[in-house]
Amino acid sequence: MGTTPAGTENEQQAAKWVRGMFGSIAPRYDLLNHLLSMNIDRYWRAQTVARVSHVLANPEARVLDVCCGTGDLMLSLEAKGQATVLGSDFCHPMLVAAHAKVQHKHSRSALFEADALRLPVADASLDLITIAFGFRNLTSYQAGLEELRRVLRPGGMAAILEFSTPPNATFARLYRFYSRAILPAIGGFISGSKEAYSYLPESVRKFPGAEDLANQMRSAGFGNIRFERMTAGIVALHLGDRL
Ligand SMILES: C[S@@+](CC[C@H](N)C(=O)[O-])C[C@H]1O[C@@H](n2cnc3c(N)ncnc32)[C@H](O)[C@@H]1O
């Protein structure tokens, strides 16, 4: 199971579509993120950083933010600790935007271009791996979890921040209306790609619920799995340790 954008027939086509779509919205990505979430996306990333702060405090720790996009989580991880932080993404225009921020902030973080399903990273070499709003877009969730596990040292932690389904049915209906009607209209108008912002609610709808994702993490070899819903369950943060 993984993302299946409309019109794609296999994993290769789906990955190409996802890369192209993010490439087309990269210049407006941050603006739209903050606008469409009413700036709450900053809080979601800040909460993620807070939950992994004990790892960040260790100057020896090695951290990778995969699907880093324009680099916001990566830069926050670096700012809140002393660990070495890297960022990777398979979409070049997103990395160009991230690179501009890295330079502007005189950041120590390094970026590299890579598919999250085939990371050019040694086995068991990382203490923490984070992925914010990227996991949903992978063409195979199982392969994604296996790759996260492969690069973590035993005891290392994975943090997956992702959209989810609000458990309250009334709120879920309201949110569905917002994400299907309002979000594609505003996102499409500003980014010039209505397709991208129609994909977003569709990909969230098809994504496993929070309990289901926790079970998938368990099956992939993670333990001590815990998740917290944020903002009425629009988003869930899953944490798990490599066994
Ligand atoms: C919604 S953006 C999230 C960016 C950033 N993490 C954030 O919090 O704003 C999703 C990112 O995942 C990247 N992505 C999706 N599938 C990927 C894959 N298989 N390998 C690497 N990056 C991927 C996209 O290129 C995009 O930059």
Side-chain angles (χ1 to χ4, degrees), residues 22 29 33 45 67-69 89-91 94 114-116 132-133 138:
F22 280 110
Y29 177 80
N33 244 357
R45 290 193 197 83
C67 299
C68 70
D89 201 286
F90 75 169
C91 176
M94 291 295 250
D115 191 325
F133 308 110
L138 301 183

Side-chain angles (χ1 to χ4, degrees), residues 10 26 36 39 57 63 67-68 75 85 87 101 109 112 116 118 140 160 170 214 218 228 241:
N10 53 45
L36 293 171
N39 252 337
V63 179
C67 299
C68 70
L75 290 165
V85 183
K101 286 188 205 167
S109 298
F112 60 94
R118 280 174 294 276
S140 165
I160 305 176
T170 310
R218 205 162 288 118
E228 61 186 280
D241 302 334

Side-chain angles (χ1 to χ4, degrees), residues 223-242:
N224 188 23
I225 293 158
R226 56 270 188 216
F227 66 83
E228 61 186 280
R229 300 181 205 269
M230 293 187 244
T231 321
I234 289 176
V235 156
L237 171 65
H238 285 71
L239 301 171
D241 302 334
R242 184 203 158 150

Side-chain angles (χ1 to χ4, degrees), residues 117-200:
L117 300 181
R118 280 174 294 276
L119 291 167
V121 175
D123 293 358
S125 56
L126 300 175
D127 300 280
L128 168 67
I129 192 153
T130 56
I131 177 165
F133 308 110
F135 191 80
R136 186 187 80 255
N137 301 294
L138 301 183
T139 52
S140 165
Y141 302 140
Q142 189 186 337
L145 289 171
E146 282 168 8
E147 188 63 350
L148 300 188
R149 184 184 178 280
R150 180 187 70 78
V151 297
L152 281 171
R153 65 163 174 78
M157 186 198 277
I160 305 176
L161 177 67
E162 193 47 271
F163 289 110
S164 196
T165 307
N168 179 289
T170 310
F171 184 77
R173 263 199 302 279
L174 272 173
Y175 177 60
R176 241 191 330 270
F177 171 73
Y178 171 75
S179 62
R180 286 196 186 154
I182 297 172
L183 194 142
I186 302 175
F189 180 72
I190 296 179
S191 71
S193 170
K194 190 156 187 200
E195 209 184 13
Y197 286 88
S198 305
Y199 164 76
L200 199 152

